[in-house]
Amino acid sequence: MTTPPFWLWDADASISYRFGNLLLRDAKLGVQNTREMLRAEELLRDTTGSLHSIALPWPDGYPVARLGLPNKGFAPDYFKFGSHHFGSRRLRDAMALPNDVVQHIPIELISGGDAVRAQDYRLLRIVAMQPALDLDRSECKVEELFSHVTGQPFKVLRSIDRFALLDGLQPRTEVFRIEEICTSILVVDAFAERVLRAGCTGMEFDAVDNMQSGKRVERYRTADGIAERRVGYLD
């Protein structure tokens, strides 16, 4: 069975860099209750015994992210703050996915100008997940550890140079976390095209087999097709 085209969903590097500079200049920006959110994440992990609590739905009654954003100059459709992902109404509409694939959780916006408020940001939590990597062909180090919560063994991927997908991988959903490394997110080509053609900003969709270090030529999805960029070269 032929494997359909997939892309790795990541944050746009230039927008992430800009946000990072803003955060350095103003401590009131970003998620202001990070510790509370992390404690809730740990509680979710411990009460469910899950090795992948990041992919579990955020329960009712759990803390709401208190987000501070600038009054001007920053209002992309998608951005990250630590492990937290945020998306605009336009991105939600373009994604058009059910709650068992992605949650869009209300937040408390504590600062931000008109452009920020118009985005109607929500905490974006991707909860769909499935196995996707061929670890024998992927260029990375695999370390086996044991969970102190469940006692279950699990594998950690380190020094990742290149991913290789399972032969014949068929997506259950248009967007999903990779079970072998659940901080990484795969999307099908139709999803990437739909979101980009909607004009959404702040994200990029990179080829799965791109090298992830050193001098390289990376492929990435555009609204109209595929483009390349040189990374690590002086020109």
Side-chain angles (χ1 to χ4, degrees):
M1 185 178 295
T2 303
T3 302
F6 291 96
W7 302 93
L8 283 165
W9 183 350
D10 203 352
D12 179 281
S14 61
I15 289 177
S16 295
Y17 179 77
R18 189 192 316 162
F19 191 35
N21 283 337
L22 291 168
L23 293 171
L24 289 174
R25 294 200 295 265
D26 189 346
K28 294 181 180 179
L29 301 182
V31 177
Q32 296 298 296
N33 60 333
T34 298
R35 289 185 180 179
E36 182 184 24
M37 298 291 288
L38 289 175
R39 284 196 298 269
E41 193 77 58
E42 291 170 356
L43 177 63
L44 184 60
R45 178 201 64 196
D46 294 346
T47 55
T48 61
S50 173
L51 293 172
H52 306 294
S53 61
I54 194 173
L56 294 177
W58 200 242
D60 292 339
Y62 265 47
V64 171
R66 302 182 66 247
L67 179 65
L69 290 176
N71 288 326
K72 59 181 180 179
F74 184 84
D77 291 291
Y78 170 79
F79 64 95
K80 294 196 297 185
F81 179 85
S83 62
H84 304 299
H85 303 237
F86 296 92
S88 68
R89 176 177 293 279
R90 176 163 59 176
L91 178 58
R92 294 196 296 276
D93 291 344
M95 291 176 75
L97 296 173
N99 288 337
D100 59 353
V101 176
V102 57
Q103 277 187 305
H104 301 285
I105 305 163
I107 66 167
E108 180 185 349
L109 186 66
I110 59 177
S111 67
D114 291 343
V116 165
R117 296 185 183 281
Q119 290 287 55
D120 187 21
Y121 287 117
R122 300 284 177 92
L123 179 67
L124 189 156
R125 191 172 174 90
I126 295 167
V127 296
M129 183 171 66
Q130 71 177 83
L133 295 185
D134 184 327
L135 296 183
D136 291 331
R137 292 191 297 112
S138 295
E139 297 176 28
C140 62
K141 293 180 180 178
V142 182
E143 183 178 355
E144 186 163 298
L145 302 174
F146 289 86
S147 168
H148 71 277
V149 176
T150 67
Q152 300 175 42
F154 65 98
K155 294 178 179 179
V156 175
L157 308 189
R158 306 189 189 279
S159 303
I160 299 167
D161 285 328
R162 192 196 302 266
F163 287 134
L165 298 181
L166 294 167
D167 286 338
L169 175 64
Q170 297 298 311
R172 301 170 192 158
T173 56
E174 286 192 313
V175 179
F176 59 92
R177 293 184 180 274
I178 298 174
E179 187 170 311
E180 295 83 0
I181 179 168
C182 61
T183 53
S184 294
I185 298 165
L186 280 181
V187 308
V188 300
D189 188 66
F191 173 88
E193 180 181 15
R194 184 169 77 242
V195 168
L196 292 171
R197 288 196 171 182
C200 294
T201 59
M203 77 289 295
E204 62 182 31
F205 300 105
D206 300 323
V208 177
D209 60 354
N210 282 344
M211 290 295 293
Q212 299 193 27
S213 62
K215 289 184 179 180
R216 59 199 185 273
V217 177
E218 295 181 340
R219 293 181 298 116
Y220 61 97
R221 189 64 158 92
T222 71
D224 301 315
I226 300 173
E228 292 184 346
R229 60 178 167 236
R230 292 160 61 87
V231 179
Y233 293 89
L234 296 178
D235 58 333

